[in-house]
Amino acid sequence: MQSVYQRAGPCSSCLKRQLNGFLGLIKWQRRLVPACVRTIYSETGKWEKNYGLETRKRVENWWFPRIKEQFCRISETDKSRPKFYVLSMFPYPSGKLHMGHVRVYTISDAVARFQKMRGMQVINPMGWDAFGLPAENAAVEHGLHPASWTQSNIQHMRKQFDALGLSFTWEREVTTCLPEYYKWTQYLFLKLFEAGIVYQKEALVNWDPVDQTVLANEQVDDNGCSWRSGAKVEQKYLKQWFIKTTAYAKAMFDALSDLPEWYGIKEMQANWIGDCVGCSLDFLLKVNGKVTEEKLAAYTYTPEAIYGASHLYILPTHRLLHGNSSLKEVFQREFIPGKDSLTSVTAVNLLTNQEIPIVISAKTNFDNYLDTKIGIPSTCAEDAAVAKNLGISFTEVIETLPNGLEKVINSAEITGMTRQEALKAVTQQAKNKRIGGDLTSDKLRDWLISRQRYWGTPIPIIHCPACGAVPVPYGDLPVLLPNVTTFTGKGASPLESAPEWVNCSCPKCKAAARREVDTMDTFVDSAWYYLRYTDPHNSDRPFNSDLADYWMPVDLYIGGKEHAVMHLFYARFFSHFCHDLKMTKHKEPFHKLLVQGLIKNQTFRLTTTGQCLKREEVDLTGSEPVHLKTGEKLQVAWEKMSKSKYNGIDPEEIVKEYGIDTLRLYILFAAPPEQDILWDAKTDAMPGVQRWQVRLWALVTKLIEARTSGIMPNPELLNKKEKAEARKIWEQKNLVISEVTEYFTKDHLFNAAISRLMSLTNVLHQAPRPLVLHSTEFEDALASLCIMVAPMAPHIASEMWKGLAHVQNKLCTHHHWDVDVLHQSWPRVDPAYLQPSDVVEMSVLINNKACGKVSVPQQAARNFEEVQELVLQSELGAKHLQGRAIKKAFLSPRTSLINFLVQE
């Protein structure tokens, strides 16, 4: 065994060195600017009055490497501190980041920075879902080895991530195609195999009859033809590996109720799983009284009535009639199309030892995805009709008592039990014997993980003629990918072309054997990566349980809605399984889920052919777009960005034109995270966030100029009116801190958070010069505003803070002025603000239109008659309500609002 691994090893070891080597070469690059143009405060001590294009570039160039280094420093996990684990779904290394990537990773970056400022120990890890079909297609089309193609793409995308200034915890990086990762994917596969949750059976695949190869679904075009040969794709049965996810269906369905609101995703998960009311049970097939090697799992909605089974019911499309079964000829011979066909094949129930015949149904389909059912006449009138029509005898096993209670009869040891008691007994017995019994639905199917590909995790199984499927010993992991250099896209799996790797000895009997040549579905790699991030360099086990228990569950998981069903289901399955193995204490991997919408751009299609046009081929000068060459009117639609549709936007170009902070703010401000963004840089969102940055900068300029005017700041110099205005600034600051904190922690409405920060900016701009000079409240509000901006626009916030920090004669002493803004503590609401005020400012509406406010004593604010009387007696009431007929009035104490409906 060992010598085989050594012979197969050089390629994978080389790949490992290559990937580690090139990843190690990528260092954070400091962008240095020529000394002649260094004029920002952080470099010269001279404040730039206006925030123009050149200032913005210099600010970002200066702060870019410093911010990155600050967040990404390696630190040991301190389990005594509160933690926050923010995780954005890792990308496939396609070679180029798109705006969808920018959106999801900007969100995770802002959340990570915010939580760090709140004192949390934060990880925001990143890695690569690096196995997959595109790499193999590149090998076929361009002669590039999948490892080289993947390596090059990761290198390029790392540089792109770097250019966006994202705060990933890069020391926790994982790459699924490296042996140190897929060794543990194979380890978990073997654990599943040991638990009886991995099995092989025949299943349909897409078959290219010309190239004689299996095709993935994405390699079959809309016309059902092969992407390469153009041949009509056929359906063919091949032996495939499955993970029995149905074994966890009920547990995963029930666990959904304990999770927080997932904005419709829980419902999608529940619908995918279905109602878990029945289970499958295993049968052994016999023909002419002789036991065959065929086993069959059949579903029943009423396991408690299993002793009343009369027949097994299969569809005419079942694999037993069309695959490579030894019983295929018998079934085909005895099948009468359009009729229920009683066959000579019988099935022995491995739980009850009852032997019943197999019937091929006249139907073309059963409910949902079932193709095999257990016929039980006692609980199904249709099953009873089939049995009677075919002359199959059966036993009644359900008795209804006079009080309506149903009990089980004629059923061996479960006789006398209620149906519910019998259900529990039967399913538990079946599970104990590993012959089924797991409650699941009629719509959930087990997970087919076999892929007839090279670029995937090798399945650690050896096929021995004597011993059958034998797991590779744990000590021999990882099973490394061999060095395959030729990829044609034709014939069997490329792994078949490495005989020195395929041919091996059986770990049990040492006889000649063959390795499994299928690789795993890449969904397996991504089904547990969130656990590896908790302990990414562990060479002894997949992860340390103590570290996983500290970091898990993921506090916020961010990704696209397209992954909200399958990936999420598989990830939850692996987490439940690891919990059962005592590897983790948490069953569910993700606490909160944030599903972000798409970024869409306009596509222009020719009406005649449907062909997509490039922007430069479209005339946009008229009232509607037309083809520049022909003048033909075009179909215009907002669609997901795509190269093939010519509607993609290069993030690097946007950064060059607008800057990192502006792009980040646009992404966060343009729409709530779960909604789609319709990309148009000329809309209000982009100019809006640009203007806001200018206004933020102007506030700092305003304070610096006031404090360098030669006049010493003194709050006692403010008059009564100015002190009242300072009080309003203080109240507005506290309100905004409260709201923005809630937006970051509860709903993740970053657009609303920015909107509230803009409102605070406006309040501060309205402050007169005496307040700017002498008010502690103005200085504190501006400092708090700068801190709250920092997670979303870290570069401009860092420079603004540096300017504020060097202001002389500061009035606020509770801020750590000698530390950069991203190391400040997140602002807290002042305790005094939380104390109930003696006076409430009551908003007054007349016919639903706001017309002012009236001060009302706190104790009277909830009393309708008192509030109405006080408003009518006020100056505002005398002006707007005197002499008018009031039809009705409504008081809302919660929002401090009273609305008068008056006769116009």
Side-chain angles (χ1 to χ4, degrees):
M1 281 292 293
Q2 191 60 37
S3 62
V4 173
Y5 286 99
Q6 288 170 342
R7 284 202 305 273
C11 172
S12 294
S13 300
C14 178
L15 165 63
K16 179 178 172 182
R17 285 197 302 273
Q18 284 178 331
L19 285 175
N20 284 340
F22 89 78
L23 292 179
L25 286 172
I26 302 172
K27 302 293 183 187
W28 304 126
Q29 300 169 3
R30 295 193 176 203
R31 297 183 177 183
L32 300 177
V33 185
C36 60
V37 294
R38 288 189 173 190
T39 58
I40 64 166
Y41 188 87
S42 294
E43 298 171 294
T44 66
K46 178 184 176 184
W47 182 257
E48 191 82 14
K49 185 174 180 179
N50 298 310
Y51 191 68
L53 177 64
E54 286 306 311
T55 303
R56 186 263 293 166
K57 285 181 179 178
R58 291 195 291 270
V59 165
E60 291 194 354
N61 283 336
W62 172 262
W63 283 106
F64 177 85
R66 290 162 176 79
I67 288 172
K68 203 159 208 15
E69 285 176 359
Q70 286 172 9
F71 198 95
C72 295
R73 286 193 189 121
I74 297 172
S75 59
E76 291 295 318
T77 299
D78 179 359
K79 295 178 190 171
S80 67
R81 289 177 57 195
K83 64 88 182 180
F84 196 90
Y85 183 177
V86 56
L87 178 61
S88 40
M89 295 179 184
F90 65 173
Y92 178 77
S94 59
K96 203 162 182 63
L97 288 180
H98 53 68
M99 292 305 296
H101 288 129
V102 175
R103 188 179 194 188
V104 66
Y105 301 132
T106 297
I107 291 171
S108 70
D109 182 89
V111 170
R113 294 186 190 280
F114 163 76
Q115 292 293 350
K116 194 170 185 184
M117 294 171 84
R118 292 182 82 209
M120 297 290 190
Q121 186 168 212
V122 177
I123 56 170
N124 177 25
M126 178 46 62
W128 309 97
D129 194 7
F131 276 135
L133 188 59
E136 209 154 326
N137 288 345
V140 174
E141 294 180 65
H142 308 299
L144 295 170
H145 193 278
S148 303
W149 187 82
T150 302
Q151 163 188 321
S152 173
N153 288 352
I154 290 176
Q155 186 173 10
H156 182 64
M157 290 175 76
R158 273 289 296 261
K159 288 177 180 175
Q160 288 184 301
F161 274 133
D162 187 25
L164 290 167
L166 297 166
S167 62
F168 293 122
T169 322
W170 280 110
E171 72 268 16
R172 293 180 180 269
E173 181 181 19
V174 300
T175 305
T176 60
C177 68
L178 290 179
E180 56 259 38
Y181 184 90
Y182 71 70
K183 170 182 180 176
W184 302 114
T185 305
Q186 293 171 341
Y187 173 93
L188 292 170
F189 177 95
L190 293 180
K191 289 294 182 185
L192 289 163
F193 187 85
E194 283 177 9
I197 294 176
V198 167
Y199 66 94
Q200 251 189 321
K201 74 169 185 180
E202 282 191 331
L204 283 174
V205 296
N206 299 314
W207 181 255
D208 183 328
V210 173
D211 284 347
Q212 292 287 295
T213 193
V214 175
L215 302 175
N217 288 335
E218 55 267 39
Q219 292 178 310
V220 181
D221 67 20
D222 293 339
N223 299 315
C225 295
S226 167
W227 72 298
R228 184 172 173 78
S229 70
K232 198 73 176 172
V233 172
E234 300 172 356
Q235 296 292 293
K236 182 176 180 178
Y237 277 95
L238 285 182
K239 236 181 180 185
Q240 305 277 280
W241 285 98
F242 287 82
I243 295 177
K244 196 188 291 184
T245 48
T246 51
Y248 280 79
K250 185 74 165 67
M252 290 171 66
F253 186 93
D254 291 346
L256 289 170
S257 61
D258 298 327
L259 293 169
E261 177 52 55
W262 277 5
Y263 305 101
I265 304 305
K266 285 208 298 189
E267 289 75 11
M268 292 169 70
Q269 283 281 298
N271 185 58
W272 177 263
I273 296 170
D275 293 326
C276 301
V277 295
C279 73
S280 289
L281 295 170
D282 290 348
F283 290 78
L284 195 62
L285 303 192
K286 295 171 71 174
V287 63
N288 300 323
K290 292 181 180 178
V291 175
T292 69
E293 293 182 358
E294 289 286 352
K295 275 188 180 178
L296 190 59
Y299 188 83
T300 173
Y301 294 97
T302 54
E304 69 276 14
I306 189 61
Y307 283 91
S310 58
H311 59 280
L312 277 198
Y313 217 17
I314 65 173
L315 290 177
T317 53
H318 197 281
R319 65 175 179 83
L320 288 174
L321 280 82
H322 303 280
N324 301 301
S325 166
S326 59
L327 300 174
K328 178 177 175 180
E329 289 185 12
V330 177
F331 281 120
Q332 287 186 343
R333 186 172 63 246
E334 297 179 352
F335 171 50
I336 305 169
K339 289 188 177 183
D340 289 325
S341 307
L342 180 63
T343 72
S344 59
V345 181
T346 57
V348 178
N349 187 325
L350 295 179
L351 181 68
T352 66
N353 290 320
Q354 290 176 303
E355 189 171 340
I356 55 178
I358 292 183
V359 174
I360 304 172
S361 176
K363 293 182 172 183
T364 54
N365 61 334
F366 296 144
D367 292 335
N368 290 309
Y369 295 117
L370 296 180
D371 64 0
T372 311
K373 291 199 310 182
I374 305 174
I376 304 179
S378 288
T379 56
C380 177
E382 184 183 344
D383 292 346
V386 170
K388 287 174 183 175
N389 186 47
L390 295 175
I392 303 171
S393 62
F394 58 87
T395 304
E396 291 290 348
V397 292
I398 302 295
E399 178 185 42
T400 305
L401 302 181
N403 64 1
L405 182 68
E406 290 184 310
K407 287 208 166 188
V408 176
I409 57 174
N410 302 321
S411 299
E413 69 275 10
I414 63 171
T415 296
M417 292 184 182
T418 65
R419 289 187 68 167
Q420 193 59 36
E421 290 168 345
L423 173 68
K424 287 182 180 177
V426 167
T427 53
Q428 191 57 54
Q429 285 176 28
K431 284 192 279 188
N432 291 345
K433 293 183 178 181
R434 288 194 176 182
I435 54 172
D438 298 297
L439 286 178
T440 185
S441 70
D442 59 6
K443 65 194 301 185
L444 186 66
R445 291 181 286 187
D446 285 337
W447 178 11
L448 192 163
I449 65 158
S450 283
R451 296 294 180 267
Q452 291 71 42
R453 305 273 163 248
Y454 168 78
W455 195 236
T457 298
I459 293 176
I461 293 290
I462 291 170
H463 296 282
C464 173
C467 305
V470 180
V472 170
Y474 287 103
D476 291 340
L477 296 181
V479 176
L480 298 170
L481 280 172
N483 185 12
V484 173
T485 56
T486 303
F487 297 87
T488 64
K490 300 179 181 182
S493 165
L495 290 174
E496 291 274 19
S497 65
E500 75 287 353
W501 181 85
V502 174
N503 298 314
C504 61
S505 58
C506 171
K508 275 188 178 179
C509 70
K510 309 305 178 189
R514 284 173 55 84
R515 291 189 188 285
E516 174 60 62
V517 293
D518 282 358
T519 52
M520 294 187 211
D521 177 12
T522 55
F523 271 119
V524 181
D525 305 315
S526 60
W528 73 281
Y529 77 116
Y530 51 87
L531 287 165
R532 184 65 176 173
Y533 278 142
T534 67
D535 189 18
H537 307 298
N538 197 323
S539 58
D540 298 321
R541 63 188 88 170
F543 48 87
N544 179 286
S545 292
D546 289 341
L547 287 171
D549 290 345
Y550 171 75
W551 285 112
M552 295 296 291
V554 173
D555 294 282
L556 182 64
Y557 194 34
I558 310 167
K561 198 167 188 174
E562 66 271 23
H563 301 299
V565 176
M566 287 172 62
H567 162 66
L568 203 58
F569 176 77
Y570 299 144
R572 293 182 61 225
F573 164 81
F574 261 85
S575 185
H576 276 249
F577 178 70
C578 288
H579 171 78
D580 283 358
L581 290 183
K582 305 289 190 289
M583 294 172 72
T584 59
K585 72 178 180 183
H586 301 284
K587 276 189 179 180
E588 287 293 329
F590 313 120
H591 178 61
K592 269 193 159 182
L593 189 69
L594 180 57
V595 176
Q596 98 281 354
L598 301 171
I599 297 187
K600 296 181 175 180
N601 202 1
Q602 285 183 311
T603 55
F604 301 93
R605 282 187 173 86
L606 292 171
T607 309
T608 49
T609 63
Q611 176 193 343
C612 289
L613 299 179
K614 297 176 183 176
R615 281 279 169 135
E616 55 267 29
E617 298 175 305
V618 180
D619 182 354
L620 296 167
T621 56
S623 57
E624 51 185 337
V626 295
H627 191 192
L628 201 58
K629 284 184 179 177
T630 65
E632 180 185 339
K633 288 184 180 179
L634 303 176
Q635 292 176 338
V636 183
W638 290 95
E639 297 183 54
K640 181 179 177 180
M641 290 186 182
S642 164
K643 283 183 193 174
S644 61
K645 296 172 186 171
Y646 303 114
N647 69 339
I649 300 289
D650 186 348
E652 292 181 73
E653 293 302 315
I654 298 299
V655 168
K656 282 179 188 173
E657 185 174 352
Y658 295 101
I660 297 173
D661 284 341
T662 304
L663 175 58
R664 288 167 62 96
L665 289 171
Y666 172 83
I667 289 286
L668 297 171
F669 184 57
E674 72 276 4
Q675 291 183 14
D676 294 341
I677 291 177
L678 304 183
W679 180 270
D680 187 347
K682 295 182 178 65
T683 61
D684 289 343
M686 188 69 87
V689 294
Q690 286 179 300
R691 286 194 300 269
W692 181 43
Q693 290 172 88
V694 171
R695 287 170 64 77
L696 285 168
W697 190 272
L699 284 174
V700 178
T701 301
K702 203 173 182 180
L703 183 65
I704 289 172
E705 289 179 344
R707 295 293 173 84
T708 54
S709 62
I711 303 172
M712 283 292 289
N714 184 358
E716 296 303 318
L717 296 177
L718 296 173
N719 60 36
K720 186 177 180 182
K721 183 182 178 184
E722 288 164 346
K723 286 180 178 177
E725 289 176 345
R727 169 81 185 189
K728 287 181 179 177
I729 288 175
W730 176 81
E731 289 173 347
Q732 184 69 14
K733 177 207 75 170
N734 279 290
L735 175 63
V736 170
I737 289 172
S738 171
E739 291 177 333
V740 171
T741 303
E742 186 161 320
Y743 288 136
F744 260 94
T745 54
K746 290 188 178 176
D747 302 320
H748 308 291
L749 297 175
F750 307 105
N751 60 317
I754 291 171
S755 181
R756 297 304 293 127
L757 293 174
M758 286 177 170
S759 73
L760 180 56
T761 306
N762 293 338
V763 168
L764 295 179
H765 263 289
Q766 291 163 11
R769 180 175 169 78
L771 243 65
V772 177
L773 177 58
H774 298 299
S775 163
T776 304
E777 290 84 355
F778 181 92
E779 183 181 304
D780 188 33
L782 180 53
S784 298
L785 175 61
C786 188
I787 293 169
M788 289 187 284
V789 167
M792 297 180 282
H795 303 88
I796 186 175
S798 294
E799 182 64 15
M800 285 165 51
W801 185 263
K802 198 61 101 176
L804 290 174
H806 287 82
V807 167
Q808 298 300 307
N809 306 311
K810 280 190 282 291
L811 299 170
C812 292
T813 56
H814 62 279
H815 294 294
H816 301 291
W817 294 107
D818 57 334
V819 178
D820 287 341
V821 69
L822 288 167
H823 292 284
Q824 299 298 315
S825 294
W826 186 259
R828 295 177 182 270
V829 175
D830 295 319
Y833 179 77
L834 300 173
Q835 298 298 318
S837 172
D838 294 336
V839 176
V840 173
E841 293 294 313
M842 187 67 63
S843 297
V844 180
L845 278 70
I846 298 175
N847 292 339
N848 301 313
K849 292 181 180 177
C851 62
K853 292 187 177 184
V854 172
S855 297
V856 173
Q858 174 71 40
Q859 62 268 28
R862 292 181 172 276
N863 187 299
F864 172 72
E865 287 79 10
E866 287 190 49
V867 171
Q868 179 169 303
E869 188 62 30
L870 287 166
V871 171
L872 291 174
Q873 291 174 5
S874 70
E875 185 180 331
L876 182 146
K879 180 180 178 181
H880 293 286
L881 292 169
Q882 198 168 31
R884 303 180 73 179
I886 298 172
K887 295 191 290 184
K888 208 165 188 178
F890 304 91
L891 175 68
S892 172
R894 187 178 65 82
T895 55
S896 303
L897 179 150
I898 187 167
N899 188 7
F900 293 91
L901 301 182
V902 301
Q903 193 77 41
E904 292 289 359

